[in-house]
Amino acid sequence: MFKKTMPLALTLLALLGAAPLIAACHTVAGAGEDISRTGDAIGTSAKKNTP
């Protein structure tokens, strides 16, 4: 039972987490900019936290 519910729970969590990002985008270009900024933030964080 755990093997079936875990992927469903993770998918639901990902969709709920992405909802504010999707709702904030008014155009496809806006979505691309948001995704790009998110990637930049992740990259910066990774560089800062690399041992």
Side-chain angles (χ1 to χ4, degrees), residues 15 17-26 34:
L15 289 174
L21 295 175
I22 293 169
C25 301
H26 297 290
D34 290 345

Side-chain angles (χ1 to χ4, degrees), residues 27-51:
T27 64
V28 174
E33 290 175 12
D34 290 345
I35 292 169
S36 177
R37 289 181 188 153
T38 302
D40 291 341
I42 291 170
T44 302
S45 177
K47 286 179 184 176
K48 287 181 182 177
N49 294 308
T50 301

